[in-house]
Amino acid sequence: MSHDRSRGAAKILRARSFYLSALTLAAIRLICRRCGLSPFCVLIDAGGRFTLLAPNLDSVREGLKKARQEIDRWLFGRFFGQLRLNLTDETTLTGQDFFGRFGDKMRELNDALDRAKRQPWSGQIQSEGQWRRGAFAFDDGYPYGETVCPISGYGRPEVEWPTGEGQTIKVSRQTAQERRIGEELARAKAIEISEAGGPDSVAFFENEARTFLRIHSQLPDLANSASGGELYALNELAPGFGCRVIANHVPRLTRELRERFAEQGLEDDELASSEIGDALTFEQIAALAERSIRIVSRPFPRRG
């Protein structure tokens, strides 16, 4: 990102990392719905990768096939082929594989996943061994011959974006959404993944596959939660909630730092609207580093 377009860059970068994590949660939830699986079938979910243990049944394979098509169709149309989720169901196990051979099976799974990576969008461009007509061109949503979003590099620029000093540029709706997510994350206490959307929800997938993300500034009341979704506390352990860590060390605004910002003429509109405890932006961290001001970080608390 160039300097004149970097206002809000910290929020976008923070949001993109979080968005991928939330997308993984939404994909897992959709696959479990389509295959009739319990959340206890999720063996691994970390670093953008997940592993499910499922019965080797035709109904499960059909459910996974449908979920893969729904996920691929949405990703292909939303991100124009720049983001994809590689899935494979080639690896099968028997009871004996859990006793001494499980590591071999995990390596077999990784090999199958590597093969899937070498066949990107095969389900989108082929059908029953034949090329799908029109599959190699995007629909009307792709800005052929037009200017694309200067921040993300794809998508039609439609939303006004402040660059500082009263100037604006136009960015894509995805970029604008990422900035909003980044702003909400600074104060977020919990997230929720469910099929129940709301006015501030982030939607994944389409039609009956739709799965929503909600960001909560306070821990929801479990007794009155009727969404039937998954609730995760962010960066803390809370009874009744799962836990997701979105940062290990987050530089945050303190009263001392606010005073030093003011003393050295570093106060700006973004800082003025920030509250004590909010995460610092990249620009603020850079300004602090230039003037050798000590940054106070609050690590994720360890519970013994």
Side-chain angles (χ1 to χ4, degrees):
M1 299 180 185
S2 63
H3 177 72
D4 62 332
R5 295 171 179 170
S6 62
R7 185 175 179 82
K11 293 184 176 67
I12 292 177
L13 294 175
R14 186 186 308 133
R16 284 182 180 174
S17 175
F18 172 78
Y19 185 90
L20 293 177
S21 175
L23 172 59
T24 301
L25 286 175
I28 292 173
R29 186 171 178 87
L30 177 61
I31 291 171
C32 287
R33 283 166 51 200
R34 292 289 180 252
C35 298
L37 302 179
S38 161
F40 295 105
C41 293
V42 183
L43 297 184
I44 300 172
D45 170 22
R49 302 185 63 171
F50 60 88
T51 302
L52 307 182
L53 180 64
N56 189 9
L57 302 174
D58 290 341
S59 60
V60 172
R61 291 187 180 277
E62 284 300 315
L64 178 60
K65 180 180 178 181
K66 182 176 182 180
R68 180 192 285 123
Q69 291 172 343
E70 291 169 324
I71 293 170
D72 281 354
R73 186 184 309 116
W74 181 77
L75 287 174
F76 195 74
R78 179 66 180 270
F79 296 98
F80 305 109
Q82 296 193 33
L83 178 64
R84 69 177 186 270
L85 185 64
N86 299 297
L87 298 173
T88 178
D89 60 350
E90 294 182 17
T91 306
T92 59
L93 300 92
T94 66
Q96 292 299 319
D97 290 322
F98 290 93
F99 301 94
R101 297 202 297 262
F102 192 72
D104 294 335
K105 283 296 179 178
M106 292 302 292
R107 284 187 285 273
E108 182 181 325
L109 174 61
N110 288 332
D111 291 341
L113 190 58
D114 286 338
R115 288 193 293 273
K117 291 178 181 178
R118 293 194 292 269
Q119 298 176 327
W121 308 116
S122 58
Q124 286 294 110
I125 62 179
Q126 292 182 7
S127 178
E128 298 180 354
Q130 302 292 322
W131 297 118
R132 295 179 58 191
R133 181 176 298 179
F136 294 92
F138 295 117
D139 59 20
D140 295 338
Y142 190 79
Y144 285 107
E146 301 178 25
T147 302
V148 297
C149 174
I151 303 296
S152 65
Y154 63 86
R156 182 176 286 111
E158 301 173 301
V159 181
E160 293 291 335
W161 172 281
T163 60
E165 299 180 358
Q167 299 181 352
T168 62
I169 58 174
K170 286 191 175 182
V171 300
S172 67
R173 295 185 182 277
Q174 175 68 20
T175 297
Q177 182 184 69
E178 288 171 352
R179 183 176 185 181
R180 179 174 66 82
I181 292 173
E183 291 172 345
E184 293 179 0
L185 284 178
R187 300 175 177 84
K189 296 295 184 182
I191 61 171
E192 180 178 0
I193 302 288
S194 72
E195 288 72 53
D200 297 324
S201 299
V202 177
F204 300 100
F205 319 131
E206 297 174 332
N207 303 324
E208 70 274 8
R210 264 199 156 176
T211 307
F212 295 91
L213 162 72
R214 292 186 64 190
I215 300 175
H216 296 276
S217 59
Q218 300 294 331
L219 290 178
D221 183 0
L222 293 176
N224 296 321
S225 178
S227 70
E230 303 169 24
L231 287 165
Y232 298 91
L234 297 179
N235 290 13
E236 67 175 294
L237 302 177
F241 291 82
C243 179
R244 305 292 293 191
V245 179
I246 60 173
N248 193 29
H249 291 275
V250 182
R252 297 185 181 276
L253 182 65
T254 64
R255 289 185 176 83
E256 179 187 6
L257 286 179
R258 186 187 286 281
E259 292 173 359
R260 294 194 180 186
F261 271 119
E263 290 173 1
Q264 302 197 25
L266 300 176
E267 187 89 18
D268 59 14
D269 293 340
E270 192 162 27
L271 183 65
S273 63
S274 299
E275 299 178 0
I276 300 300
D278 284 356
L280 298 179
T281 67
F282 287 166
E283 293 90 340
Q284 292 164 355
I285 293 173
L288 291 173
E290 288 179 1
R291 290 161 176 78
S292 300
I293 298 178
R294 180 172 175 268
I295 300 176
V296 178
S297 297
R298 296 181 181 177
F300 175 60
R302 296 183 180 274
R303 303 291 177 94

